[in-house]
Amino acid sequence: MKKIILKQTGFNFGWKPVHVEPATLKGEFYGPRKWQKKAFKKSHKEPFVIINAPMGSGKSWLMCLLAVYKLQKDPNLRCIIAVPQTIIASGFEEANLLMPGTNKELRWFAQHNMCMETPSEGTIKTVIKFLKGPYGFLQDRVLLCTHATIIAVYKRLKETKQLKLLHNLVCWIDEAHHLKNALVEGLEDATISNGMGELVNYLTRYGKNVHLGLATASFFRGDRLSLLTPKMEEQFVRFNLPYDDYLESMKYLRSFNFDFLLSGPDFIKGIRTLLKTRIGKDIIYIPSPNSRCALGCKYETCDQIIEAYRKVFGGKRIDRDDGVTILRRKDGKELKILDLVQEELRKDKKAFVGKIKDKDDLDVVIALGMFKEGANWIWADRAIIVGARSSLLDEFQMIGRLFRDAKGKKNVEVVQLLPFSLDQTNSEKFRDNLNNYLKAIYASLILENIFNPVKIQVPKGKKKKTGSLPESVDWLSELLPDDAAKLSLIEDVSNTLMGIIDTPSIESVDLWEEYNSVLPDILDSYGIKSHVDEISKQIWGMFAKRTLSVAGTSIDKIDFNILQQASPIEFITKYTSGVCNIDTFRKLRSAIGQFNSADENKKKLLKLAMNGEPRPDGRLGNLLCNYLAKKGKCHDLIFEKEIRKLRPDWFVNTADENKKKLLEIAKKKECRPAKNKHPLGKVLINYTNEGPCYDPVFEKELRKLRPDWFVNSADENKKKLLEIARNSEDRPTNKTLWVTRLTKKVANLGTALLSYTKKGSSYDPIFDKKIRKLRPDWFVNSADENKKKLLEMAKNGEPRPQKRKHPLGDRLVNYTNQKASGGSSYDSVFNKKIRELRPDWFVAQHDICDEKKEQLLKMAKAGELRPVTKKHPLGSVLCTYTCSASGSYDPVFDKKIRKLAPQWFINTVDNKKEQLLKMAEEGVSRPPEKKHFLGNALSSYTCSKTSSYDPVFDKKIRTLRPDWFLGVGKWKRNAS
Amino acid sequence: MLVNQKNWSCPKKQKARWETIISQYQKHFGNSLPTDSQYWTMCGQCGTENGEPLDGCEPSQLIADGLILPEQFYGVEINPEIHVLNVKAFPHLNWINDDFYHAMVVEQSQNNFNPAIVNADLPQTPDGGGAYISKLLAFLTETAGDVLFIANLILRMKYYTAKDGDYVINLLNDYPQFRYAMSEGNWKLADGFYEYNGAGNTGSRIYMGSFVFVKIC
């Protein structure tokens, strides 16, 4: 037997110890919980199953159990579990299952975990290979991937006509609310589907031996489109775990509050108010920067929130390396805040969340788009949602974070912070705010009903249960399972109730009767024809429960008679008391009246007209214009005729007068009246542009008289640009200026060209097409050209183009570095390509630094002179590695080199100052700049604007030699 | 994909093979493989572009050292060009052009899988290849008898901070497939890990690490 002996130097080889022991699978085996048992019983023999259960209730475990059951039963089956994001995959990675019935122990894990693996053949090819088989053992028949992967696989199989590979499959789709299969109104069988929807459609229609499971906590979409068509849904067996049942199964969590706070436009104040009541384990969801209620920059908003916590909690702010912000008080107490809005260190922050093991590890999370689906921080007990969200699903996901059981967590609280007040004079804003307010209230009603539904006892004779209390049913959810539709129904009912009430003190009994007379029609419009009485009671109960809970009445197991006596909608007033100091209810009613009762307004206007009062201004004046505007949506011809007849004086046409004046100005060859400067500027626009005041005859006449008034500088620019293009000139840059001929404006043609050809407010598609046709070379993507050039350079073995020295140096950095220029120019394909071609161009900076440091140490050891900046290639780097203020400062190297060559670090500045003071004392003349080696130094040490300015030295030398500073020159100001 | 990869038959690689495969097998099982068992490897390029065997390449070394017979060698290569060169250079050996894991599953499904040594020489770092190694170990737990499993990983390279054995085992411990294998397969990690710097005739900035797992039923 040959033994190979290596004698070459520079090689490193040999056995090294490993101190860590390989781990084994641990943990006890568990059987299903009560609800899981029920769900298993209902669904284990069904091919198509929907599991609708709250977050954290154990859906994933049940899915694994059902999958194993089917895989064990049929050896031909394989299983794919799809999750929306890789981080959610952890719930399916392993489970210790005790199989129901047999009590057989089974260690579940997905042998093919595409959320962890990076297959060399690519994920899609690997999944297809998995579907083709063969398989080794039970777990080898399980694959875990993302929704995106399974959709891509489906598309690939469809393209390659291999869809049969999807037969004999158990497919579980987690977070199935991402599905879309919506019927198109008026078109039978036409559906709008997303990728996942198409896959589900295929599997339910054509799949052979296919077992499909959909699991979600919220079986509805934010956009209110359906997940499955009614035909598809018919095929599924559905198991719902209501929130109240889930809450009952929890060990610690017992109750839930939903509250509003109208905070005024600055919601930070609202947050501070909340924090003063208590600092909980908070999740704060701030609004998107594009939202109406955003304060502007999202990062600043987060800083303000942290500051709000600091003001209430106290302490000093410390930003830790792992992205956690700590407020540390002198008494040692800390508040840990995780700002997920700031993208920096987001990976570390996510990892931090995953590692939380203790209640004290984290106190506050600030999030915007994150920390909804799949996020797990069990100690969170309060969600503060800033702004009303249009998506119930979104809100539901946010609230869902709180519904995790944790020791000591008895109650969770959701606060919807509405950053506005209803006490506003601007009617448009008021209307918006009102809409947001109502939106939030309706959503809260639905959410509350989801978490703690009003149930109605089954009437006698319909369902019988022997020996137990009569069964209660959530009829509304039974007959209208789609929560988005429920939201819309509640909105309709609420508006109807508002319409019924004339005075705030209406007796509830009357309202109840009125309500019952109108409700059947509303329910009918939602396709609800049965159990109308029960649903009517239930919806009333939803409103009434809220009213009573606000009034402080315990609503646990409340009798419906008490609910019936409560005055619904009253709660709206309660929520704002003490915040806005207005009678919100009255305001709401009048506001709703404003927008819903146009007849009332018309009546008021006619009354004013008849009473001989002057034409109204303000809101009624605007409404009058709206009712008369022929092209407007509110135009009412009968009303117009009537009111014109009554009050012709209200309609003396000032427009004719204005037009006359404008024609006179035009004839006098005066300048066009400017929009915001001349009283006729605005009306000129109105008369000559499409709109209610447009007068084509006047426009034609005016244009004939003064065509120059209608020349748009943009038109002139475009003409000029087309001319340049035709003349084969270069593409105008942002330095190409010209003065427009007619409008006499200075225009930047480069910028103008960009704005007319790039999607935005000034974009002109016709011009864009024209100019691109004329000069395609102007629109060649310079980035593509640059990349081509860079690849050529790389192939030709040229050195890397240096940043700031070579025109392509900066570009190369931008294309290959995600962090450079905000990542907007980063091109992953090009990056990979060029790095493959020229790895030497990308030698890590730290390697270069190490080399340079080694060279410097060598020089120091050899006793060489200190390398001088700008003269020696290592001069400037020596400064940066040894200057503590520099970003590249290396304390170890600094210590080392100072020890080796202390002479390199003698402060030359102090020396120079000493010499200058000596010269000053000796009475010699001031060392001239550029001629004496100390001339420049003196100037810089005594000029307050330089970085080397030394005020002590300056004072000293000026006292010694004021004559040095009296000369006329650029340092004269210092002398004064 | 490129052919003419690094020289996998360089002395460093041969020494590493001797230390981690030949010597380890002899220490735990015997001088050579039982005749009915197989040697499975992700072998890389073993032939020149002219179809000649590369001196000291994996099959040559193992056969010359008497560890295996030619028919016991199962070389799996995912790159079809390299596979063709390998077949050309060693027509009498068993060559499979497929993914390593899949190739073994296929063979197992045909009841033709009886590995004594499985050499997973991954061109990946622990972070990139940990999941695959775990998957292989879980598969071998279920399907193989006495077996020596070698996982070869890149421990240091450009843009990748050097890792050690503790890091690799800690990382593998995160994978349920690995823990399943360790629970059910009676696997043992042998003699720490063997570290060497890269392949090729010159010094290399790449450090490789071989982790040898022994399964004795």
Side-chain angles (χ1 to χ4, degrees):
Chain A
M1 193 139 318
K2 266 195 280 175
K3 193 166 182 179
I4 295 128
I5 299 158
L6 287 176
K7 283 186 177 169
Q8 288 163 278
T9 51
F11 293 140
N12 181 16
F13 54 88
W15 287 93
K16 291 191 172 176
V18 177
H19 306 99
V20 179
E21 284 289 316
T24 51
L25 280 177
K26 280 175 191 156
E28 283 178 42
F29 289 86
Y30 290 101
R33 289 181 221 161
K34 202 174 151 191
W35 83 265
Q36 287 165 332
K37 236 181 218 170
K38 269 191 202 170
F40 182 82
K41 203 175 166 189
K42 189 173 179 182
S43 53
H44 72 288
K45 283 182 182 160
E46 301 295 335
F48 302 136
V49 181
I50 294 169
I51 303 285
N52 191 4
M55 316 67 181
S57 57
K59 286 191 296 293
S60 314
W61 193 92
L62 177 67
M63 285 151 79
C64 297
L65 184 79
L66 283 164
V68 164
Y69 176 81
K70 290 183 176 180
L71 290 175
Q72 279 183 332
K73 222 178 153 200
D74 184 350
N76 292 320
L77 287 173
R78 307 90 91 222
C79 172
I80 292 184
I81 297 178
V83 292
Q85 297 157 31
T86 50
I87 50 161
I88 302 175
S90 59
F92 299 95
E93 276 166 13
E94 60 181 299
N96 294 337
L97 308 171
L98 203 61
M99 298 305 289
T102 59
N103 273 353
K104 211 176 158 189
E105 290 175 351
L106 194 130
R107 292 209 190 267
W108 160 278
F109 61 89
Q111 171 78 338
H112 305 273
N113 185 349
M114 297 297 111
C115 299
M116 297 277 262
E117 255 184 71
T118 38
S120 47
E121 288 182 291
T123 310
I124 295 164
K125 212 173 165 187
T126 305
V127 178
I128 294 174
K129 221 169 196 176
F130 164 80
L131 287 169
K132 284 180 180 167
Y135 311 97
F137 53 108
L138 190 131
Q139 287 87 344
D140 196 32
R141 286 152 64 199
V142 182
L143 182 139
L144 191 55
C145 68
T146 61
H147 285 186
T149 301
I150 198 170
I151 293 166
V153 167
Y154 169 71
K155 283 185 181 161
R156 180 75 59 84
L157 293 176
K158 199 173 162 188
E159 279 162 18
T160 52
K161 295 185 179 162
Q162 295 184 86
L163 281 170
K164 278 184 184 170
L165 287 176
L166 293 172
H167 295 171
N168 299 314
L169 182 70
V170 177
C171 180
W172 269 106
I173 297 167
D174 190 28
E175 307 289 355
H177 51 266
H178 291 280
L179 265 170
K180 181 162 78 180
N181 278 303
L183 282 175
V184 181
E185 247 178 75
L187 290 173
E188 262 182 50
D189 286 341
T191 48
I192 303 169
S193 306
N194 58 6
M196 190 60 95
E198 275 181 38
L199 170 69
V200 168
N201 188 20
Y202 172 81
L203 293 176
T204 51
R205 284 175 84 163
Y206 308 108
K208 282 180 190 161
N209 194 17
V210 163
H211 299 255
L212 178 63
L214 310 175
T216 176
S218 44
F219 204 76
F220 58 93
R221 285 177 60 88
D223 56 12
R224 300 189 182 193
L225 293 174
S226 56
L227 277 72
L228 300 169
T229 61
K231 240 184 197 176
M232 283 183 205
E233 204 168 339
E234 269 172 19
Q235 302 177 61
F236 282 83
V237 164
R238 185 166 171 164
F239 182 85
N240 285 321
L241 173 67
Y243 265 84
D244 50 338
D245 286 359
Y246 173 51
L247 273 175
E248 258 177 39
S249 73
M250 283 188 177
K251 206 172 164 187
Y252 305 100
L253 189 57
R254 282 284 163 267
S255 56
F256 156 76
N257 286 37
F258 195 108
D259 234 321
F260 299 98
L261 184 68
L262 290 186
S263 64
D266 182 5
F267 62 77
I268 301 292
K269 279 183 193 164
I271 290 177
R272 215 176 295 147
T273 312
L274 283 171
L275 299 185
K276 278 177 190 164
T277 60
R278 80 177 176 103
I279 294 179
K281 294 283 174 185
D282 295 337
I283 308 174
I284 301 184
Y285 293 101
I286 65 165
S288 142
N290 304 324
S291 149
R292 194 183 285 267
C293 49
L295 294 177
C297 171
K298 58 183 182 178
Y299 308 118
E300 278 172 23
T301 304
C302 290
D303 277 340
Q304 286 174 26
I305 293 172
I306 294 171
E307 185 56 22
Y309 273 96
R310 205 192 59 76
K311 278 193 177 158
V312 179
F313 179 79
K316 196 181 163 191
R317 178 178 169 160
I318 301 158
D319 291 319
R320 243 169 36 184
D321 290 345
D322 57 359
V324 179
T325 299
I326 300 201
L327 301 178
R328 186 173 292 153
R329 286 202 314 221
K330 280 183 184 166
D331 60 4
K333 284 190 177 163
E334 286 184 346
L335 190 83
K336 298 181 187 83
I337 303 171
L338 189 67
D339 171 6
L340 290 172
V341 180
Q342 176 65 256
E343 291 87 354
E344 208 180 318
L345 296 171
R346 200 175 258 175
K347 217 175 167 185
D348 294 332
K349 289 173 188 173
K350 276 187 185 174
F352 174 80
V353 174
K355 283 177 194 161
I356 293 173
K357 284 196 176 122
D358 194 69
K359 190 179 177 182
D360 294 332
D361 288 349
L362 183 66
D363 297 289
V364 181
V365 172
I366 307 171
L368 199 158
M370 295 175 73
F371 219 70
K372 292 179 192 167
E373 199 169 69
N376 194 3
W377 176 36
I378 59 167
W379 288 281
D381 63 9
R382 179 166 66 182
I384 301 172
I385 304 167
V386 181
R389 306 297 162 112
S390 54
S391 163
L392 185 61
L393 179 67
D394 218 22
E395 203 147 322
F396 196 59
Q397 291 283 1
M398 290 185 233
I399 295 168
R401 298 311 104 215
L402 305 179
F403 283 84
R404 311 262 170 174
D405 215 12
K407 200 178 175 183
K409 193 166 93 171
K410 287 182 181 168
N411 179 56
V412 290
E413 190 183 359
V414 178
V415 183
Q416 182 98 48
L417 201 66
L418 299 164
F420 51 77
S421 72
L422 295 177
D423 192 13
Q424 285 168 358
T425 44
N426 181 332
S427 67
E428 205 174 307
K429 225 174 179 180
F430 180 79
R431 185 179 182 162
D432 280 340
N433 288 340
L434 184 70
N435 282 339
N436 282 332
Y437 185 60
L438 291 173
K439 211 191 293 171
I441 287 170
Y442 300 141
S444 82
L445 279 175
I446 289 295
L447 286 165
E448 211 166 58
N449 201 54
I450 288 168
F451 292 116
N452 190 9
V454 172
K455 288 183 177 178
I456 301 298
Q457 286 182 1
V458 179
K460 277 178 188 173
K462 289 194 176 172
K463 275 188 184 179
K464 277 182 185 174
K465 270 212 156 186
T466 48
S468 60
L469 288 168
E471 197 185 344
S472 295
V473 179
D474 177 0
W475 286 110
L476 187 61
S477 300
E478 289 281 322
L479 297 172
L480 199 64
D482 181 352
D483 287 312
K486 250 189 276 181
L487 186 66
S488 168
L489 172 70
I490 293 296
E491 197 174 327
D492 287 354
V493 174
S494 163
N495 286 336
T496 311
L497 279 170
M498 290 283 197
I500 293 167
I501 298 166
D502 285 318
T503 58
S505 57
I506 186 156
E507 295 212 356
S508 59
V509 178
D510 297 335
L511 186 61
W512 168 246
E513 279 173 11
E514 285 287 328
Y515 161 80
N516 272 321
S517 67
V518 294
L519 194 72
D521 289 340
I522 301 174
L523 295 180
D524 194 42
S525 65
Y526 285 85
I528 302 174
K529 291 187 172 71
S530 60
H531 301 288
V532 171
D533 283 351
E534 287 88 347
I535 291 175
S536 126
K537 277 184 182 176
Q538 201 182 345
I539 295 174
W540 180 277
M542 281 164 71
F543 283 100
K545 244 173 78 173
R546 182 46 85 81
T547 301
L548 290 171
S549 87
V550 171
T553 312
S554 169
I555 49 161
D556 287 341
K557 291 168 189 164
I558 204 158
D559 188 84
F560 185 76
N561 291 330
I562 298 173
L563 291 180
Q564 195 176 329
Q565 282 157 26
S567 175
I569 304 187
E570 205 178 74
F571 69 91
I572 295 171
T573 61
K574 306 274 182 182
Y575 273 105
T576 54
S577 57
V579 182
C580 295
N581 292 322
I582 55 161
D583 181 357
T584 316
F585 184 50
R586 184 168 45 77
K587 268 215 146 174
L588 279 174
R589 262 193 311 111
S590 70
I592 288 165
Q594 250 178 57
F595 304 114
N596 290 345
S597 315
D599 289 346
E600 284 296 314
N601 296 325
K602 285 173 197 164
K603 266 184 206 170
K604 272 185 200 165
L605 284 163
L606 289 169
K607 205 172 173 184
L608 285 174
M610 279 189 281
N611 292 346
E613 291 187 37
R615 181 178 167 145
D617 297 328
R619 192 178 69 82
L620 271 181
N622 291 336
L623 288 171
L624 177 63
C625 286
N626 289 342
Y627 302 148
L628 302 184
K630 289 197 169 95
K631 291 193 174 176
K633 282 179 185 170
C634 308
H635 181 237
D636 182 339
L637 189 65
I638 301 165
F639 171 76
E640 188 188 352
K641 273 183 185 171
E642 205 169 332
I643 206 147
R644 275 186 191 277
K645 199 175 162 188
L646 270 171
R647 295 299 296 271
D649 58 308
W650 279 11
F651 303 96
V652 171
N653 200 341
T654 49
D656 290 346
E657 286 293 312
N658 289 341
K659 284 172 197 167
K660 251 188 206 175
K661 280 181 197 168
L662 281 166
L663 287 171
E664 267 168 34
I665 295 170
K667 276 173 198 162
K668 283 180 192 166
K669 304 258 168 179
E670 286 178 32
C671 284
R672 179 187 164 124
K675 188 182 164 188
N676 294 323
K677 289 176 186 165
H678 195 284
L680 292 173
K682 210 172 172 182
V683 288
L684 171 62
I685 295 170
N686 292 343
Y687 303 151
T688 54
N689 281 296
E690 285 282 325
C693 306
Y694 176 57
D695 181 342
V697 182
F698 170 74
E699 191 206 359
K700 202 175 171 187
E701 198 179 340
L702 198 61
R703 275 186 186 272
K704 205 173 166 186
L705 267 171
R706 294 300 296 271
D708 57 309
W709 279 15
F710 296 92
V711 176
N712 190 332
S713 56
D715 289 343
E716 279 196 86
N717 288 341
K718 285 172 197 167
K719 259 190 196 171
K720 182 74 184 169
L721 284 164
L722 289 169
E723 197 183 309
I724 295 172
R726 278 190 205 104
N727 293 343
S728 304
E729 289 175 41
D730 286 343
R731 180 187 164 126
T733 65
N734 55 10
K735 285 176 187 164
T736 320
L737 302 176
W738 84 302
V739 180
T740 52
R741 200 169 51 83
L742 294 163
T743 48
K744 306 284 176 219
K745 279 183 184 168
V746 179
N748 182 326
L749 284 176
T751 323
L753 175 63
L754 205 67
S755 65
Y756 306 147
T757 55
K758 211 173 169 186
K759 294 252 158 98
S761 57
S762 310
Y763 177 64
D764 180 343
I766 300 165
F767 169 79
D768 183 32
K769 204 174 167 186
K770 222 175 193 175
I771 205 141
R772 278 179 196 270
K773 203 173 170 188
L774 269 170
R775 294 299 296 270
D777 56 310
W778 282 9
F779 299 91
V780 171
N781 190 337
S782 58
D784 287 347
E785 285 291 307
N786 291 338
K787 285 173 199 166
K788 253 189 203 172
K789 280 181 198 165
L790 283 164
L791 286 170
E792 263 170 37
M793 285 175 74
K795 276 177 201 162
N796 296 341
E798 291 177 41
R800 179 187 167 124
Q802 289 301 305
K803 209 177 160 188
R804 293 195 199 105
K805 287 181 184 165
H806 192 283
L808 292 174
D810 285 351
R811 306 264 183 248
L812 177 63
V813 175
N814 291 344
Y815 302 151
T816 56
N817 188 346
Q818 251 174 319
K819 284 180 186 167
S821 68
S824 55
S825 311
Y826 175 68
D827 179 341
S828 58
V829 180
F830 170 78
N831 180 31
K832 202 178 162 190
K833 219 173 187 177
I834 203 143
R835 278 180 195 269
E836 267 172 19
L837 269 171
R838 293 299 295 269
D840 57 308
W841 280 11
F842 299 92
V843 173
Q845 200 58 39
H846 56 80
D847 284 351
I848 298 171
C849 291
D850 287 350
E851 262 174 42
K852 285 183 179 169
K853 282 174 197 167
E854 259 175 42
Q855 280 182 40
L856 283 164
L857 288 169
K858 256 186 200 172
M859 283 173 74
K861 264 184 207 164
E864 288 181 35
L865 283 177
R866 178 186 167 122
V868 181
T869 314
K870 291 181 186 168
K871 287 182 184 165
H872 192 283
L874 294 174
S876 62
V877 289
L878 175 63
C879 295
T880 56
Y881 301 154
T882 55
C883 168
S884 59
S886 135
S888 311
Y889 175 61
D890 179 344
V892 180
F893 170 78
D894 185 31
K895 206 175 165 187
K896 232 178 198 173
I897 204 144
R898 278 179 198 271
K899 205 174 169 186
L900 279 170
Q903 71 279 8
W904 285 7
F905 300 91
I906 291 166
N907 195 335
T908 52
V909 176
D910 288 347
N911 269 353
K912 283 180 185 171
K913 283 178 192 165
E914 250 177 48
Q915 283 184 52
L916 282 163
L917 287 169
K918 206 174 169 188
M919 281 173 76
E921 276 163 7
E922 282 168 1
V924 293
S925 56
R926 177 184 168 128
E929 267 184 71
K930 291 181 187 169
K931 286 179 185 168
H932 192 282
F933 79 103
L934 290 173
N936 284 345
L938 174 63
S939 303
S940 61
Y941 303 153
T942 56
C943 170
S944 62
K945 298 214 165 166
T946 66
S947 56
S948 320
Y949 176 62
D950 179 347
V952 180
F953 171 79
D954 185 32
K955 201 177 169 186
K956 223 174 189 177
I957 206 147
R958 277 174 200 275
T959 320
L960 272 172
R961 294 298 297 271
D963 58 307
W964 278 12
F965 298 92
L966 289 175
V968 180
K970 58 179 169 180
W971 306 117
K972 194 180 171 186
R973 62 180 177 273
N974 282 339
S976 65
Chain B
M1 226 181 266
L2 288 170
V3 290
N4 280 334
Q5 300 177 339
K6 278 232 169 189
N7 184 2
W8 306 126
S9 47
C10 73
K12 279 181 286 174
K13 196 75 187 167
Q14 288 190 46
K15 162 90 176 157
R17 258 184 233 128
W18 197 91
E19 288 280 351
T20 60
I21 304 172
I22 303 167
S23 159
Q24 285 295 320
Y25 188 81
Q26 287 169 348
K27 183 176 167 188
H28 294 285
F29 298 103
N31 279 346
S32 56
L33 267 67
T35 46
D36 62 339
S37 62
Q38 302 152 346
Y39 175 86
W40 283 80
T41 180
M42 289 168 100
C43 54
Q45 189 174 339
C46 301
T48 65
E49 274 187 282
N50 304 324
E52 286 154 12
L54 275 167
D55 277 345
C57 67
E58 192 175 349
S60 302
Q61 185 185 358
L62 299 181
I63 294 165
D65 281 353
L67 185 74
I68 58 168
L69 298 168
E71 60 271 24
Q72 288 178 301
F73 184 91
Y74 284 75
V76 186
E77 172 57 51
I78 201 159
N79 181 342
E81 285 93 346
I82 293 175
H83 169 75
V84 169
L85 293 181
N86 290 346
V87 174
K88 221 168 155 186
F90 295 94
H92 305 301
L93 306 186
N94 301 296
W95 297 103
I96 303 168
N97 177 213
D98 198 352
D99 165 64
F100 191 58
Y101 181 87
H102 193 255
M104 290 198 284
V105 176
V106 170
E107 216 65 17
Q108 195 260 339
S109 71
Q110 292 162 6
N111 291 324
N112 186 28
F113 186 62
N114 184 23
I117 299 177
V118 175
N119 180 22
D121 193 354
L122 260 65
Q124 279 176 303
T125 60
D127 299 272
Y132 197 76
I133 293 291
S134 306
K135 199 166 140 174
L136 286 169
L137 277 163
F139 173 73
L140 292 173
T141 300
E142 286 291 326
T143 56
D146 290 354
V147 66
L148 186 82
F149 177 77
I150 305 103
N152 201 21
L153 294 157
I154 299 168
L155 296 186
R156 192 189 115 163
M157 64 187 284
K158 258 183 201 175
Y159 316 114
Y160 187 74
T161 329
K163 301 292 183 309
D164 61 7
D166 290 353
Y167 177 86
V168 175
I169 300 299
N170 261 328
L171 187 101
L172 290 172
N173 280 344
D174 281 343
Y175 295 102
Q177 295 100 317
F178 180 77
R179 276 180 282 133
Y180 172 77
M182 294 304 125
S183 306
E184 311 288 325
N186 203 26
W187 290 97
K188 278 197 177 70
L189 176 67
D191 296 342
F193 73 107
Y194 182 82
E195 190 181 69
Y196 62 103
N197 54 349
N201 298 323
T202 57
S204 171
R205 294 162 78 116
I206 293 175
Y207 276 54
M208 304 295 296
S210 297
F211 295 79
V212 181
F213 294 89
V214 185
K215 183 188 171 208
I216 301 172
C217 295

